[in-house]
Amino acid sequence: MESKTPPSDASPQEASIDPVDRVINYHIRTKHHFNRYARSLGFLDWVNQPDPFRRYGGAQLFSLPLLKPDEDPQSPAYDVIYEHRSAPCQPVSLSTLSRFFEFALALSAWKKAGESEWPLRMNPSSGNLHPTEGYVVLPELVGLDLKPGLYHYAPKEHGLEWRAEFPAGPVARLLSRFPVGAFLFGLTSIHWREAWKYGERAFRYCNHDVGHAIGTARIAAATLSWKMTLLDGVDQNTVALLLGTNRADDFADVEAEHPDCLAVIWPSGEVRGYEEVRGEGLGVRGYIKEIPLFLDSEIVQELAGGKWHGKANRLSGEHGVHWDIIDEVADASWKTQAQTLIVSLPNSQPQNTPYPSPLTPQGFSAGSVSSSHALHDSRTTSNAGAIIRQRRSAVAFDGKTTISSATFFRMMQRVLPCADRPQLERPMPWDVWPYDPAIHLLIFVHRVDGLVPGLYFLVRDTKKLAFLQQSMNPELTWTIAPGCPDGLPLYRLLEGDARKLAVQVSCHQDIAGDSAFSFGMLAEFEGTLRERGVWWYPRMFWESGLLGQVLYLEAEAAGVRATGIGCFFDDPVHEVVGIKNVTLQSLYHFTIGGPVEDGRLQTLPPYGERDK
């Protein structure tokens, strides 16, 4: 199959320079500008639109039961999933795995317009293209009628494809340092699914989607009172080996999968603090105080030598253009070294407690925004499962709906990771994330009752306040927002009507100005890459996707709706607050408001006859 390589302005020396500089070059090259967008095909090649569903021909499919909302395991109240002491813990079984995958990666509905139908999923995706694939490594567990091995989740069928047979003994040894009932969860990306539409910028969007999927998985686990943490001490070669993405024969002449991450999930149980550990053939052999965030690579190699099943399906007939720069940045940001990271299990897990003129950029006008629409401040439902199922990405906002300052502040509190706490004592879902935050919010407030319209900033790690202030225009006013709850580091930078500015920097999309508020996620960029490692580039996007997933559900819980915005003019966003280098970079935009529904679209159940 012949493919064309797009023209490039990259230096011939790029391949030999420092990996951090290669990643920064990719990031700069894939920025959108007022006078040009990042490289893409420029049109949609509908004939070669990728199949949204990966399947492995020859692999046995185990159907998961389709559970009705009132069947066990039932979902707790939405607020309960954010508490450490929450609903009773569920054991790992076919029913609980089904509920987990339903809330994490399953279909949420089909949309129909005329003769066209397309699926929606629980996990959001740029352009509804869904590059993310999910896997589980299951041990031999009492009450789980599945053999040990690696399984690929098939969302269209809501089932698990048995990719590899893993002997029970080595799997038990691999998981012996984790709590009883633990299993592994993995994510991969098919870059072509995004590159088909978005070209060179696709690597960014694939990693946004990984972050959203980490969020949906962590929240799905919370509905069952399961715990989850990323195993980010694992090197990427080990991830590839365990998930089988390195198996050339299984992906011959089809779109490759990029191994992204692994996580461990376990039932929290009734015991707080010391967790039981099950050894191979030994039953309960003791208690542990900490768990590793890495795996034994020798055991992974042993497992990878087992029996594998299935060949990956081809997603597009022809590709036309191969975007070499995506392969280059994926290679440059590949995590080559394992780390012996350890996380402590808390002796007790407290409940998540709530947190009791300057230069005027062009396009930022003085004045306020009047409200002419009823306040949305009541929840449509208090059930976590219902909120997860009803989540959609808004396609338009009404330009009228306001939210209360109390609702706005609550949303801001939800995205604070409480970085001063040990990891597993942080609020869900931030207990999944083994790092201090590197993402902060630049917020365009349009219609929040009790707040003057203008530009605000949420500092998600107060230790970074001085750094952030020094990285921006020194004439910005850093004033705590009026009425702000104690401990919420939300600052007002500028007053004025920012609707036109928000639209302008978000690729002229009205959704950024017609909402109640919108924001850009600013990452601590170059310093993070040089201090933590070049492999942190994808993780910046993961963190932003995780953050966005929290706000997707918060919007639904508040009776409004949200949507992610991947298209924005990078440097004009930075100019709004005077960022002049790559110390900070905007990675993702987001917007929340009163949705306008398209009455021409029909909504169908996700699994048709199986739903009945």
Side-chain angles (χ1 to χ4, degrees):
M1 179 181 65
E2 181 181 357
S3 65
K4 302 175 182 177
T5 301
S8 171
D9 58 4
S11 164
Q13 289 78 34
E14 272 193 4
S16 62
I17 61 178
D18 178 77
V20 172
D21 291 330
R22 290 171 61 193
V23 162
I24 292 175
N25 287 344
Y26 166 82
H27 191 78
I28 292 173
R29 174 170 156 175
T30 56
K31 288 182 176 182
H32 289 322
H33 301 274
F34 283 141
N35 61 336
R36 68 169 177 87
Y37 287 84
R39 288 182 178 85
S40 66
L41 197 58
F43 64 92
L44 294 179
D45 180 12
W46 292 112
V47 173
N48 292 300
Q49 181 180 11
D51 186 335
F53 300 111
R54 168 132 283 174
R55 288 296 307 274
Y56 288 91
Q60 185 177 0
L61 176 70
F62 295 88
S63 294
L64 293 170
L66 283 177
L67 304 171
K68 297 184 183 300
D70 58 356
E71 289 186 79
D72 290 333
Q74 297 183 44
S75 296
Y78 174 71
D79 286 333
V80 167
I81 66 174
Y82 291 96
E83 299 174 359
H84 281 294
R85 291 193 180 99
S86 53
C89 182
Q90 302 287 339
V92 180
S93 67
L94 276 181
S95 292
T96 54
L97 274 179
S98 177
R99 192 70 88 191
F100 168 77
F101 276 109
E102 176 195 353
F103 290 161
L105 300 175
L107 304 188
S108 59
W110 286 82
K111 288 292 185 179
K112 183 175 182 179
E115 298 300 317
S116 298
E117 292 184 9
W118 60 95
L120 305 180
R121 303 196 197 185
M122 300 293 186
N123 54 312
S125 173
S126 304
N128 198 33
L129 296 173
H130 292 286
T132 312
E133 298 292 328
Y135 295 82
V136 283
V137 175
L138 297 175
E140 189 171 54
L141 292 173
V142 176
L144 181 61
D145 192 21
L146 289 172
K147 293 183 179 180
L150 172 72
Y151 293 82
H152 169 252
Y153 178 64
K156 186 177 181 181
E157 295 79 12
H158 190 53
L160 295 174
E161 292 182 296
W162 196 16
R163 277 285 285 140
E165 301 180 31
F166 291 162
V171 176
R173 294 204 314 273
L174 186 70
L175 298 175
S176 63
R177 295 183 63 187
F178 300 107
V180 171
F183 62 92
L184 302 181
F185 176 72
L187 295 171
T188 68
S189 294
I190 303 173
H191 294 152
W192 166 246
R193 280 214 185 107
E194 292 287 335
W196 168 78
K197 180 177 182 180
Y198 296 116
E200 291 186 344
R201 204 169 164 99
F203 188 74
R204 297 180 177 211
Y205 299 157
C206 286
N207 284 291
H208 283 154
D209 288 2
V210 171
H212 278 291
I214 292 170
T216 59
R218 178 62 192 101
I219 292 165
T223 68
L224 300 161
S225 291
W226 294 353
K227 304 298 183 185
M228 173 176 168
T229 181
L230 281 178
L231 297 179
D232 216 31
V234 179
D235 66 278
Q236 223 157 336
N237 289 326
T238 300
V239 179
L241 200 62
L242 188 63
L243 301 183
T245 62
N246 65 331
R247 295 179 58 81
D249 289 346
D250 294 353
F251 295 90
D253 198 34
V254 304
E255 296 81 2
E257 291 185 28
H258 180 79
D260 292 308
C261 61
L262 290 170
V264 61
I265 299 173
W266 70 95
S268 60
E270 299 300 325
V271 179
R272 298 292 177 180
Y274 299 111
E275 299 277 358
E276 295 176 293
V277 184
R278 191 174 299 277
E280 179 186 356
L282 300 177
V284 175
R285 71 162 194 223
Y287 297 92
I288 54 174
K289 298 181 182 180
E290 56 190 21
I291 59 175
L293 300 186
F294 58 93
L295 298 173
D296 188 319
S297 60
E298 292 185 0
I299 299 177
V300 172
Q301 289 177 350
E302 180 182 353
L303 293 174
K307 188 175 181 180
W308 290 75
H309 305 286
K311 305 290 184 182
N313 62 326
R314 187 168 183 81
L315 305 179
S316 291
E318 298 290 338
H319 288 192
V321 171
H322 182 79
W323 304 97
D324 292 330
I325 194 171
I326 295 176
D327 298 334
E328 293 168 8
V329 71
D331 290 343
S333 59
W334 189 273
K335 186 177 183 184
T336 58
Q337 298 294 324
Q339 299 166 286
T340 55
L341 302 177
I342 299 289
V343 63
S344 297
L345 290 168
N347 289 326
S348 63
Q349 297 189 7
Q351 291 186 359
N352 175 21
T353 54
Y355 303 93
S357 171
L359 293 181
T360 303
Q362 184 177 5
F364 200 101
S365 60
S368 62
V369 179
S370 61
S371 170
S372 60
H373 199 265
L375 176 70
H376 278 239
D377 195 25
S378 61
R379 299 187 176 192
T380 55
T381 176
S382 63
N383 181 270
I387 289 170
I388 292 169
R389 292 186 190 96
Q390 75 183 39
R391 186 215 62 81
R392 302 285 187 271
S393 295
V395 296
F397 293 118
D398 58 21
K400 299 177 181 179
T401 296
T402 68
I403 64 172
S404 71
S405 58
T407 297
F408 177 74
F409 291 146
R410 184 174 65 232
M411 291 179 177
M412 296 301 101
Q413 289 167 339
R414 285 283 194 234
V415 301
L416 290 184
C418 302
D420 57 329
R421 301 182 191 176
Q423 180 192 332
L424 295 182
E425 295 182 36
R426 295 175 184 175
M428 197 286 301
W430 304 110
D431 54 353
V432 78
W433 192 247
Y435 304 106
D436 292 342
I439 305 291
H440 309 274
L441 303 187
L442 176 66
I443 310 170
F444 302 87
V445 169
H446 308 315
R447 300 173 185 86
V448 177
D449 282 1
L451 284 183
V452 175
L455 196 64
Y456 292 73
F457 200 93
L458 182 70
V459 180
R460 294 183 61 245
D461 185 350
T462 54
K463 298 190 298 293
K464 311 292 181 58
L465 177 60
F467 164 77
L468 293 166
Q469 290 173 326
Q470 293 165 9
S471 301
M472 299 183 195
N473 187 333
E475 297 188 49
L476 292 171
T477 61
W478 290 78
T479 306
I480 287 290
C484 190
D486 291 343
L488 181 63
L490 178 68
Y491 296 86
R492 186 173 64 205
L493 304 183
L494 294 168
E495 291 185 14
D497 184 350
R499 291 174 296 178
K500 290 182 179 179
L501 179 62
V503 169
Q504 183 184 42
V505 298
S506 295
C507 293
H508 308 293
Q509 297 180 79
D510 290 337
I511 52 175
D514 289 341
S515 57
F517 66 97
S518 62
F519 55 90
M521 303 184 190
L522 292 183
E524 303 166 26
F525 195 72
E526 183 175 16
T528 299
L529 295 175
R530 298 201 183 279
E531 293 167 15
R532 296 185 176 182
V534 67
W535 49 270
W536 239 88
Y537 184 63
R539 283 150 183 80
M540 295 180 189
F541 292 97
W542 299 357
E543 185 180 341
S544 66
L546 176 57
L547 194 156
Q549 191 58 32
V550 172
L551 288 171
Y552 259 124
L553 297 188
E554 279 295 294
E556 295 290 342
V560 288
R561 185 146 284 175
T563 193
I565 303 176
C567 185
F568 52 87
F569 298 118
D570 300 59
D571 289 338
V573 174
H574 306 146
E575 291 168 8
V576 170
V577 288
I579 298 169
K580 299 184 182 302
N581 49 38
V582 290
T583 304
L584 298 173
Q585 292 287 281
S586 186
L587 300 187
Y588 192 19
H589 281 210
F590 212 79
T591 186
I592 295 176
V596 176
E597 304 295 344
D598 190 339
R600 299 169 298 176
L601 300 183
Q602 183 181 358
T603 301
L604 305 175
Y607 292 99
E609 290 299 319
R610 285 192 69 192
D611 285 300
K612 296 181 180 179

